[in-house]
Structure formats: structure tokens, C-alpha cells
């Protein structure tokens, strides 16, 4: 696993190990191509694991990334990866449960959110996380949420969000959501 583009291109990242499923380079490249320019974006990486998505965003010009993770082994690898990439000043690591973090509401609005929960999290839980991002004020007006799930899983259909991009890669799929369009505009 490595950073595939930007200022930290080619740097190897440590993986938390068993039970994780890092995104392949092909998936990451397609995703970040779809996301486009990230310069100045503020990023939230939920279920961060190794932090590869948030670190990739920082490498491509994001201004700041907050990583939320609750597994000790993952936190150790995440902090090592932040050190390896040199993004310590642009990174904040929150050792906490994602639902508890979302339940407190936003301290600041995010331009890009990565939501990559374990596949064992049921669809209802992932939908709840997505809706909490909206109701808790986490997502900026033009913000986007990236979700990584199993390809065979049923549709999420979160309230307040609309699907703007979706791709399948083998047994995985990537989705990008944005705020639902207001019909009065």
C-alpha cells in the first residue's frame, strides 16, 4: 500500500493487518480522478485504519485531515504513516468511536469525508452514519462523502444526500454522495 500521487507519491504506508481491506491502487486512482482538485479541502477520514485515503488527499493538496479510528493497532500504524508522509502539521488523529464522534456534532464543516466502515457494519448503520454527517453539520455546502462498501450490498438511500458517482471493482464498490438538491433553488 502506498501514496499514489502528489507530494508524497510513492511512499509506502503500513497496514493495520488482519481484518482490514485497504483500497487497491486502481480503485484509489479512479476515485481521486472522480474527486478532482482537492487543493484547500478540509478532510474527515472516518474508520481511518491506516489513513491511506486521508493521506492521499493531503498529498494531492488538501489543507487538513482529521482521522477518526478506535482500534489501537490501527492508530499506531496511522501515526507512523503520518510521520512517514510528513503530514503531521496537517493531521489530527482522534482515537474514538465514529458514532460517538458523529453524535457530538461538527466543530467544523468538511469538504470531503471518507466513510470506510468494516463490511460487517450493516447497511442501516452505514446509512445512519451518512445521515448523521448531514444532520450534525459536518458536510460543507459543496462537500462530498465517499463510501466504500461490498458490491452486493443493497442501496443506502440516505436522507438528505444524493448519489453522484458509483463504481464497482470486483467485490467492492465506491460511492460519492453530495447534499440533495433543494427543489426551490
Amino acid at each position: 500500500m502506498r501514496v499514489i500521487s502528489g507530494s508524497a507519491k510513492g511512499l509506502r504506508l503500513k497496514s493495520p493487518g488482519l481484518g482490514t481491506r485497504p483500497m487497491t491502487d486502481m480503485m484509489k486512482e479512479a476515485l481521486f480522478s472522480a474527486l478532482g482538485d482537492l487543493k484547500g479541502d478540509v478532510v474527515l477520514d472516518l474508520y481511518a485504519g491506516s489513513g491511506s485515503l486521508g493521506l492521499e488527499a493531503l498529498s494531492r493538496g488538501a489543507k487538513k485531515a482529521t482521522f477518526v479510528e478506535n482500534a489501537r493497532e490501527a492508530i499506531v500504524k496511522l501515526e507512523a504513516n503520518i510521520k512517514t508522509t510528513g503530514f503531521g502539521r496537517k493531521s489530527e488523529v482522534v482515537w474514538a468511536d465514529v458514532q460517538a464522534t458523529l453524535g457530538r456534532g461538527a466543530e467544523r464543516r468538511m469538504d470531503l469525508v471518507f466513510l470506510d466502515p468494516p463490511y460487517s457494519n450493516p447497511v442501516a448503520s452505514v446509512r445512519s452514519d451518512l445521515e448523521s454527517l448531514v444532520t450534525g453539520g459536518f458536510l460543507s455546502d459543496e462537500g462530498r462523502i465517499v463510501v466504500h462498501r461490498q458490491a452486493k450490498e443493497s442501496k443506502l438511500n440516505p436522507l438528505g444526500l444524493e448519489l453522484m458517482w458509483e463504481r464497482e471493482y470486483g467485490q467492492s464498490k465506491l460511492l460519492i454522495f453530495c447534499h440533495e438538491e433543494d427543489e426551490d433553488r
Side-chain angles (χ1 to χ4, degrees):
M1 184 171 49
R2 63 189 175 91
V3 178
I4 58 173
S5 189
S7 63
K9 180 179 180 177
L11 292 178
R12 294 241 168 249
L13 302 175
K14 296 179 184 213
S15 177
L18 295 175
T20 62
R21 43 168 184 57
M23 196 176 291
T24 66
D25 286 355
M26 181 182 77
M27 290 171 66
K28 231 193 300 191
E29 187 60 52
L31 171 63
F32 281 91
S33 290
L35 291 171
D37 185 13
L38 303 178
K39 287 188 178 33
D41 280 6
V42 178
V43 176
L44 178 61
D45 191 346
L46 301 171
Y47 305 96
S50 66
S52 72
L53 295 174
L55 293 169
E56 186 72 38
L58 288 171
S59 182
R60 291 171 181 250
K63 180 168 66 174
K64 179 168 180 53
T66 301
F67 300 88
V68 179
E69 177 57 59
N70 69 355
R72 184 186 187 292
E73 180 186 359
I75 292 282
V76 169
K77 300 290 173 71
L78 170 59
E79 288 177 341
N81 290 337
I82 290 169
K83 185 175 182 180
T84 296
T85 57
F87 294 134
R89 291 186 174 188
K90 295 181 173 187
S91 301
E92 176 186 5
V93 177
V94 178
W95 191 344
D97 179 73
V98 168
Q99 283 83 23
T101 300
L102 294 177
R104 287 191 287 276
E107 292 178 17
R108 70 176 88 73
R109 297 180 80 193
M110 303 293 171
D111 302 303
L112 180 60
V113 178
F114 295 108
L115 183 66
D116 193 2
Y119 280 175
S120 61
N121 283 26
V123 172
S125 174
V126 178
R127 184 180 306 112
S128 176
D129 288 348
L130 285 165
E131 292 171 355
S132 293
L133 284 164
V134 174
T135 59
F138 287 89
L139 196 59
S140 69
D141 291 343
E142 302 300 319
R144 297 164 293 173
I145 304 170
V146 173
V147 182
H148 180 196
R149 296 301 295 161
Q150 293 182 74
K152 66 181 180 182
E153 195 170 73
S154 62
K155 296 227 180 270
L156 290 166
N157 299 325
L159 295 174
L161 294 170
E162 66 181 53
L163 183 64
M164 60 184 288
W165 186 87
E166 179 178 10
R167 298 291 184 278
E168 286 190 18
Y169 301 90
Q171 296 180 0
S172 296
K173 69 179 168 183
L174 294 173
L175 308 104
I176 301 176
F177 290 93
C178 62
H179 281 291
E180 196 169 61
E181 283 293 321
D182 186 351
E183 293 183 23
D184 294 336
R185 286 190 218 174

